[in-house]
Amino acid sequence: MAAERPAVDPSRPIPVYEQLKAHLIQLILSGRYGADGQLPTESELCATYGLSRTPVHRALAALAAEGVVVRHRRRGTFVAPEWLEKHAGVRELTAVVPEGPWAKLIRAETPTDVALSLTVVPLGDLHDHLTEAVASGEAPDIALVDSVWVPEFATAGYFRRIDDIDSGWARDQYRKLFAQVFVASQAVDGASVAVQLEADVAGLWFDRETLAAAGIAPPDTWAELAAACNLLAGKDAAPPLVLPGGPAAGEAATYCLLALLASNGARIIGPAGVLPDRDRLVQTLEYLQELVAQGAIAKESVDFARERPVQLLARGQAAFALAGSYELPALAGAAGLDQESAWRRFGFIPMPAGPSDSRANLAGGMALGIFRQGKRPDLALHVIRALLSADAQARMARSTGQIPTRTSVVPLVSDDESLLGKSAAMLEGAVVRPAVPSYDRVSQQLQKLLADIILDRISPAAASEYTAELISAITGLPVAAK
């Protein structure tokens, strides 16, 4: 097992005194300081943690101000009996989750012996909320985050490694029994820093009735998609293919661009560096411009908000939409249908294959991380293990339609004709978004690239070289040789 990270680490973005304060509370609750409750002296704490006196004094002063300890001149610092009586043995946890089904789901699966305090935050605000909470020393015990944030949060020192809490479970359960594409992308030096709760995949939604009326089969290749769009565009002035086409859609635009690239076997970052498949990238961008030129995609899509493509498809104003498998509830709502009826009307397939013959599907989803500032890491993992049990994963999949990441559960909750069955099949051999700490800045660059290509502001070849250099500067990785 890799060595445990120090309890107090000055390289982390959290103030040192806050780290020490949180660690001392954890030790107090674990009974470390015995019957008399006396803490080490400031000098002893300085020597133990390799700190100067200022952060140690500040941590003890903060504990005294909060009533955790009592400081007696010349006698020392002692745990406050009233505080300990109130808090010892209380199994309380705090959690932050995005809007959606998650709060209800997590409450339902949390063991009855745990008091869970949940904060729900809009997904668009979640990243900033959590970083600000860490900076102020008020991070939750657990948070449900976009899986692509995990490398950033782990590198910044926000998350505890799961191996440091229970190496046996991480090694013998999580890394063996769950979707390997996420296990690999959320590991640092062989240790898991988060666990994937659920998964989704990017693909192509289509209107079954529109295609059937035109005698068009769901497209399996780029050429078939272009031909279908050409036929449908001839019958209707509205562009038949919609997608989130620029920064206005945020991460949804990046997700769709990366899915289109994956359908042609193109990666943004590989073992050899940035843009190892530049010829395939250029090929993909040329295909996008061809679709715009033939009227299949509207230039106005660069201004679409994330929900706009699904709304257009639901209202019969488009035949195809590039989006994630998670969009069925939004499709149903926009179409005024229940989800079962919406699935009968709309279909979902893998992104049509590009000419490279190396198609891969793109996967995403939400992951659970345990914050270093949290006071009860063992209890936090206890709750996470309950959420990842086979029964809980099955209930989650049935209630949300999201793909369970415990692989043995998938065949129990899906059939070949359901959305869950089709999207789960796409998870096999899938790829994920670049697992780099600077992903957010990479994503912003890719959103701008997509908009520039749709608006024909730059040639695909020039865009490839420019993007390679910029992402190299952002990540510090070399540009892969051609």
Side-chain angles (χ1 to χ4, degrees), residues 193-410:
V193 292
V195 295
Q196 192 76 13
L197 177 65
E198 53 78 38
D200 54 66
V201 288
L204 186 69
W205 284 95
F206 63 93
D207 188 320
R208 298 179 193 271
E209 295 177 1
T210 298
L211 266 62
I216 298 171
D220 188 56
T221 66
W222 284 5
E224 290 175 4
L225 176 60
C229 287
N230 191 51
L231 180 60
L232 293 168
K235 294 186 174 183
D236 192 331
L241 175 60
V242 288
L243 76 164
E251 183 58 26
T254 309
Y255 196 48
C256 287
L257 175 59
L258 290 175
L260 192 59
L261 292 172
S263 73
N264 197 34
R267 297 162 294 172
I268 293 298
I269 296 171
V274 176
L275 296 190
D277 314 297
R278 287 208 283 291
D279 289 345
R280 294 176 185 176
L281 170 64
V282 170
Q283 216 172 25
T284 305
L285 300 181
E286 288 174 343
Y287 178 66
L288 269 173
Q289 288 190 335
E290 290 168 7
L291 291 175
V292 175
Q294 76 175 54
I297 296 174
K299 291 188 175 182
E300 290 76 16
S301 62
V302 300
D303 296 320
F304 285 172
R306 116 178 246 292
E307 64 275 7
R308 183 65 173 161
V310 167
Q311 292 173 346
L312 291 172
L313 178 65
R315 295 168 186 167
Q317 296 173 285
F320 301 104
L322 271 63
S325 57
Y326 50 78
E327 293 288 13
L328 183 60
L331 267 173
L337 301 169
D338 59 58
Q339 291 190 36
E340 185 177 342
S341 299
W343 179 240
R344 287 197 295 268
R345 176 178 165 186
F346 302 104
F348 183 75
I349 55 175
M351 200 70 74
S356 75
D357 242 3
S358 301
R359 175 167 64 182
N361 298 309
L362 183 73
M366 305 299 289
L368 289 157
I370 298 175
F371 282 82
R372 285 188 174 274
Q373 287 182 353
K375 302 176 181 65
R376 305 293 296 272
D378 292 341
L379 187 57
L381 185 57
H382 173 59
V383 170
I384 286 178
R385 289 173 63 170
L387 291 168
L388 293 182
S389 70
D391 287 345
Q393 285 264 291
R395 286 189 289 267
M396 177 210 69
R398 293 188 181 107
S399 65
T400 67
Q402 299 296 86
I403 307 168
T405 51
R406 182 182 279 268
T407 54
S408 63
V409 174
V410 173

Side-chain angles (χ1 to χ4, degrees), residues 6 25 38 66 79 96 139 251-252 259 291 308 327 345 469 480:
I25 288 176
Q38 184 171 12
E66 295 175 15
V79 177
V96 173
E251 183 58 26
L291 291 175
R308 183 65 173 161
E327 293 288 13
R345 176 178 165 186
E469 294 296 336

